[in-house]
Amino acid sequence: MTSPRHLSLFLILGLFWGVSPSLYRHWGVIGMPVSHVILFTGFGVGLALALICQLRGIDWWGGRKLQFFGLGCAILMNVPFALGLHFAQHVPPTELALIISTAPIVNYLVALVTGRESAATRRLAAIMLGFLSTAILVITRKGMLQGDVSWWLIAAFSLPVLYSAYNWFAAVWWPPKVHAMAAGVAESFWSGLLALPFFILFAPTWSGEQLPMAAYWTVLAACGMWTLERIAFFTLIQEKGAVFTVQAVYLSTPAAVVIALAFYGGADIWLFVALAVLMGALYLNNTGSAARQKSF
């Protein structure tokens, strides 16, 4: 039975996942350097999670295996994260939200190819519907049928593929007996450290070309938001299991589109058709054989 506490955490998870594409767009519009976003959110979330671990008596430092895992996760996460921040400057957030939301389907496809999953009729149908939703999205964009191809939109489809590589690494190389919160600390700190050279070399805050400090309030807000998101995610994973937790995508996908529309507009009927097809694909992908898988 789902308690009010678990339901609240579930809503937090889905809504925070949903607001991210609009945040990416905001940072792109104001010209926030990608290195700043990754550096400040990495260290900010890492410090917050480390404090929580310290208060709960969780070993957040770990050993070499945890740090290796954190470094690998940081690399594989930062590449699509940085690209997503860049693509958000050229791709409407409504469309970017739909593209990122195909990640669960791409995850299954990668697992199928690598032998970590077996073929299931419902999930193969989900792949077909997922491709249909992306085809609808791409073909119906302005000028696409006349040959005016949006290469930024096409390039954005690399994001779910890259995120699936991150998920594969996390599933295969997860260190034994490591608390999920400690893994979050390692990943976050390494993310900040990896962004530090780019921050110093290309966009230091002491240069005269940077944004005013007031522009960084959204980055601070994102640190708080993503800390809560990590807490919600880890708590639900441990207490309710992966199958329950992944259902948050049903909330995050339409939420991402609605939030993006509220701030940036740009809707058309085909966008909602693609959304409806994608929701059907996600349903098929996360039910049936997928719902019987063991939690991790």
Side-chain angles (χ1 to χ4, degrees), residues 36-72:
H36 287 213
V37 175
I38 298 177
L39 177 78
F40 294 135
T41 58
F43 284 140
V45 173
L47 285 170
L49 292 178
L51 177 60
I52 295 170
C53 287
Q54 193 69 30
L55 293 174
R56 294 178 57 183
I58 300 170
D59 177 19
W60 56 269
W61 178 253
R64 286 181 295 178
K65 287 185 177 180
L66 175 58
Q67 296 308 313
F68 168 77
F69 177 77
L71 175 60

Side-chain angles (χ1 to χ4, degrees), residues 21 24-34 82-93 96 152:
Y24 296 174
R25 180 68 169 186
H26 169 73
W27 289 326
V29 168
I30 67 174
M32 178 73 68
V34 172
L83 287 174
L85 291 169
H86 188 62
F87 291 153
Q89 301 176 36
H90 307 279
V91 179
L96 190 64
W152 286 112

Side-chain angles (χ1 to χ4, degrees), residues 151-210:
W151 293 111
W152 286 112
L153 180 67
I154 300 298
F157 282 96
S158 64
L159 296 181
V161 177
L162 292 170
Y163 277 123
S164 71
Y166 162 79
N167 292 329
W168 175 87
F169 178 85
V172 173
W173 292 95
W174 190 280
K177 300 180 180 180
V178 167
H179 194 282
M181 201 80 76
V185 174
E187 176 187 87
S188 298
F189 276 139
W190 276 111
S191 293
L193 287 172
L194 289 172
L196 185 59
F198 297 94
F199 171 83
I200 294 174
L201 291 175
F202 301 112
T205 53
W206 53 84
S207 70
E209 302 176 357
Q210 293 304 316

Side-chain angles (χ1 to χ4, degrees), residues 18 20-26 29 84-101 137-138 140-142 144 150-154 156-157 159 256-257 259-261 263-268 271:
S20 293
S22 291
L23 262 181
Y24 296 174
R25 180 68 169 186
H26 169 73
V29 168
L85 291 169
H86 188 62
F87 291 153
Q89 301 176 36
H90 307 279
V91 179
T94 50
E95 298 169 18
L96 190 64
L98 287 180
I99 292 170
I100 294 175
S101 296
L137 182 65
V138 171
T140 59
R141 294 308 89 191
K142 183 178 179 180
M144 193 70 79
S150 173
W151 293 111
W152 286 112
L153 180 67
I154 300 298
F157 282 96
L159 296 181
V257 173
I259 292 170
L261 287 175
F263 284 98
Y264 300 102
D268 60 57
L271 179 74

